[in-house]
Amino acid sequence: MRLRGLILAGVAATALLAGCTTDSAVTDATVADVKPTAPPPPPPPPPAPLAEMASPMVGGMVNMQARSMAKPMQMVAPEPEFRDKYEDVESNPVKLTSEEPVSTFSIDVDTASYANVRRFLKSGTLPPKDAVRIEELINYFDYTYPQPKAGEDPFSTSVTLMPSPFNAGRELIQIGIQGRDIDRDARPPINLTLLMDVSGSMFSEDKLPLAKQAIKLMLEEMEPTDTVAIVVYAGAAGEILAPTPVSDKRKIVAALEDLRAGGSTAGGEGLRLAYSLAEQGMKKDAVNRVMLLTDGDFNVGISDPEQLEDFVSRKRETGIYLSVLGFGRGNYNDAMMQKIAQTGNGIAAYVDTLSEARKVLADDLSGNIFPIADDVKIQVEFNPDRIAEYRLIGYETRMLDREDFNNDKVDAGDIGAGTSVTAIYEVTPTGSDAAQIDPLRYGDAAKAGSATGEYAFVKLRYKAPGATDSKLLTHAVTDKDRVASVDKAPEWARFATAVAGFGEMLKGGEALGTGFGWEAVRNLAAGAKGEDEFGYRAEFIELTRLAETADAQAALNLPGQGE
């Protein structure tokens, strides 16, 4: 049997070798005479990295080959949240009126913090405390403050004194400013220079692609005689589109569509070029503005915050305004964007969705583009006979020295057409048991004075756009501004108070009494929702639920909890 097996194996091997020969082979040759075939050619080298193949014209404008290769990169996971950068700011402290009776600050019309906070909450997490700027949460919403009277100052001032729902025995003084709106037909022309970040960090869908969609929405709201120029920056900066009338919208859109992301971020160099282009096309009777669209990740050129701040400060004197629109997550540099927006006579907004883009650049275009008052400052002097302590809620990055109020060379925030601005103080009446600071043993402690005296004296300064001298407005806070209960306060005061409480809770709730929490915020907001044409207030109420859930989850994740 063994011999038979060996014979069969030999026959099979011979048949296999015969089957491997082809008709073109020499049939009479033995297997040993067949020459080996040539080895297969080596595999082609791997494709070059996208940065080498792109051959960028300027910044992120790449050739067609690179465009076709860019799509698979969309699968790259987003960078971690901890790379976002925020300025470390301490909340405003409680001040003794007897020691420091005057509070001075610049107004703030930015809304970036609210949209950024919303982004965190919708992803199921609480935002970093430094990402929460309470004044920007409050000023995200429009309020029904009375419109200014025709022919008078460009804005009206409303003051409400009401019991504080945050802490028993304390009160709130709310100051509301309502800017005059302007008819579309009365708008001045716009000379707009777009500074588009097309660096590699802007690749994801919530960055450059969303920024391009946002600009298209804005073009629909602009007049045919308005002009738009486009500057891009990545590893270098360059002019993509010379000032072009909006009547040639197709040309502007085509230039936008050609933009692609790639390279490092020479944001400082882009700012230089954008301001230069804006100055060249500057129009005397127009609103001249640079609009920066970026994630703020400057790492080439002028990247030091102080140098950028100095540069923008110098350019502010040219009369060119600056708008800063932030995009994306993972490496969002909020601190940088706040610095240059505040220094450049500008506004800062954060765009996380197409809906937010429509709000900022379409629905609120007048307020974000057309200034009606420059360098608006507020100074409040508290009467120690009526107010023992006070605390300004928010505006930590906008505080000014007392002497800055009368110095017209000191920069402050601007108000756009139709914009409302709100500031809230929590105050402790003199003689109240809710006082937080003990009186001095050897000082002249203030005692409760006449019930007919003023509570505070509010002063506002502003300049007409382009003017060098300011104008003064005043308002004495008296019992005429007082309401007996929160329920009797105007709708605007109640909703703004709810948003302020929301911000305080996001910051840890240290300034709130034990009886005020997420449910109290939600109930106060729901009772003051009022007309809500675009659903922003309803969304806010939903955010209070998301925040409550995220807060509870965060508490479970603390060391030693839930074990």
Side-chain angles (χ1 to χ4, degrees):
M1 289 297 292
R2 180 178 182 184
L3 177 62
R4 183 181 177 184
L6 292 173
I7 294 172
L8 290 175
V11 172
T14 303
L16 178 62
L17 291 173
C20 292
T21 60
T22 64
D23 292 339
S24 61
V26 180
T27 57
D28 294 336
T30 63
V31 173
D33 293 332
V34 177
K35 297 180 180 180
T37 58
L50 181 60
E52 296 177 8
M53 300 181 66
S55 302
M57 293 171 56
V58 177
M61 297 190 65
V62 301
N63 61 21
M64 294 301 294
Q65 185 178 13
R67 293 180 193 176
S68 64
M69 295 183 60
K71 292 182 179 179
M73 293 181 64
Q74 296 178 11
M75 302 302 294
V76 176
E79 298 183 63
E81 289 291 329
F82 61 81
R83 290 193 60 196
D84 288 358
K85 299 176 183 177
Y86 302 95
E87 184 178 0
D88 185 11
V89 177
E90 294 293 329
S91 297
N92 286 325
V94 176
K95 301 282 185 77
L96 267 176
T97 307
S98 59
E99 295 179 356
E100 194 172 343
V102 177
S103 172
T104 309
F105 63 98
S106 160
I107 63 101
D108 182 2
V109 296
D110 295 346
T111 60
S113 181
Y114 182 87
N116 191 30
V117 164
R118 179 181 60 201
R119 182 254 295 187
F120 277 99
L121 293 178
K122 287 195 171 183
S123 68
T125 60
L126 290 174
K129 292 181 181 180
D130 289 331
V132 181
R133 292 183 292 276
I134 297 180
E135 75 277 9
E136 294 187 22
L137 307 189
I138 297 171
N139 290 329
Y140 182 85
F141 300 93
D142 291 328
Y143 298 95
T144 53
Y145 297 132
Q147 286 289 325
K149 296 179 180 178
E152 297 187 3
D153 296 297
F155 50 81
S156 65
T157 303
S158 302
V159 177
T160 302
L161 177 62
M162 58 187 279
S164 173
F166 306 151
N167 295 284
R170 298 180 194 156
E171 298 182 337
L172 300 179
I173 295 179
Q174 178 173 323
I175 303 167
I177 299 174
Q178 178 62 54
R180 187 189 310 280
D181 207 351
I182 55 177
D183 294 332
R184 183 160 184 160
D185 294 339
R187 290 178 180 176
I190 304 171
N191 174 36
L192 181 65
T193 301
L194 300 175
L195 178 54
M196 309 280 291
D197 183 351
V198 292
S199 63
S201 65
M202 290 289 287
F203 186 85
S204 60
E205 288 296 321
D206 62 346
K207 294 187 178 182
L208 182 59
L210 180 58
K212 292 194 288 188
Q213 290 180 289
I215 296 303
K216 292 176 189 176
L217 289 173
M218 182 182 67
L219 291 174
E220 296 299 322
E221 301 298 320
M222 298 177 71
E223 297 297 325
T225 53
D226 296 335
T227 59
V228 174
I230 301 177
V231 173
V232 299
Y233 65 91
E239 177 184 334
I240 297 302
L241 182 70
T244 302
V246 174
S247 58
D248 197 356
K249 191 181 304 181
R250 295 179 64 180
K251 184 177 180 180
I252 300 173
V253 171
L256 286 171
E257 292 296 345
D258 280 341
L259 300 181
R260 297 293 185 272
S264 53
T265 316
E269 300 308 315
L271 276 173
R272 287 185 190 274
L273 183 56
Y275 271 105
S276 176
L277 191 61
E279 289 177 35
Q280 293 174 27
M282 194 165 180
K283 300 176 182 178
K284 183 178 179 181
D285 297 325
V287 174
N288 299 278
R289 185 177 291 271
V290 170
M291 181 178 290
L292 171 61
L293 299 93
T294 179
D295 59 7
D297 188 21
F298 295 1
N299 52 45
V300 175
I302 306 177
S303 57
D304 180 75
E306 291 186 3
Q307 292 183 19
L308 276 169
E309 191 175 354
D310 290 343
F311 173 77
V312 173
S313 177
R314 292 193 300 271
K315 289 300 180 181
R316 181 181 66 216
E317 305 304 322
T318 65
I320 297 173
Y321 294 86
L322 176 67
S323 297
V324 180
L325 271 61
F327 293 84
R329 60 189 300 171
N331 61 338
Y332 173 58
N333 193 340
D334 178 84
M336 174 78 75
M337 296 172 64
Q338 286 294 313
K339 283 286 186 184
I340 59 177
Q342 290 181 15
T343 307
N345 273 358
I347 61 103
Y350 178 79
V351 179
D352 57 336
T353 63
L354 191 60
S355 175
E356 184 65 15
R358 182 178 298 279
K359 180 182 187 298
V360 174
L361 294 179
D363 299 337
D364 295 345
L365 181 66
S366 291
N368 291 326
I369 294 291
F370 302 101
I372 59 171
D374 291 348
D375 294 338
V376 182
K377 307 170 189 176
I378 297 178
Q379 187 170 82
V380 181
E381 179 183 356
F382 294 95
N383 179 5
D385 286 342
R386 303 299 301 272
I387 304 297
E389 302 168 343
Y390 66 89
R391 177 179 65 92
L392 177 60
I393 299 176
Y395 290 93
E396 284 84 1
T397 64
R398 299 285 186 155
M399 301 307 296
L400 298 173
D401 293 331
R402 181 174 177 177
E403 61 269 21
D404 291 339
F405 183 75
N406 292 324
N407 187 348
D408 287 342
K409 293 183 179 180
V410 174
D411 183 56
D414 307 325
I415 292 181
T419 300
S420 60
V421 182
T422 302
I424 301 176
Y425 285 92
E426 186 175 44
V427 300
T428 305
T430 300
S432 171
D433 292 336
Q436 297 173 267
I437 303 175
D438 291 334
L440 294 175
R441 178 179 178 87
Y442 302 109
D444 293 330
K447 299 179 180 180
S450 170
T452 60
E454 297 175 356
Y455 293 91
F457 192 65
V458 180
K459 298 188 291 186
L460 293 94
R461 279 199 179 276
Y462 75 94
K463 299 174 187 172
T468 56
D469 297 327
S470 65
K471 296 182 179 180
L472 176 66
L473 301 176
T474 62
H475 180 97
V477 183
T478 67
D479 286 322
K480 292 181 180 180
D481 301 305
R482 183 184 179 86
V483 293
S485 66
V486 174
D487 292 340
K488 294 184 178 180
E491 180 182 281
W492 67 68
R494 287 180 282 129
F495 193 83
T497 300
V499 181
F502 175 72
E504 293 283 14
M505 288 292 294
L506 291 175
K507 280 185 165 292
E510 295 178 1
L512 303 174
T514 55
F516 192 90
W518 294 116
E519 185 177 2
V521 171
R522 188 158 48 249
N523 291 340
L524 187 58
K529 180 181 173 183
E531 294 185 9
D532 190 24
E533 180 180 1
F534 299 109
Y536 299 137
R537 296 190 176 197
E539 181 187 52
F540 170 77
I541 295 171
E542 179 59 27
L543 288 183
T544 66
R545 295 188 176 92
L546 296 179
E548 184 174 17
T549 301
D551 192 20
Q553 186 63 42
L556 290 176
N557 292 335
L558 290 174
Q561 301 294 320
E563 296 179 356

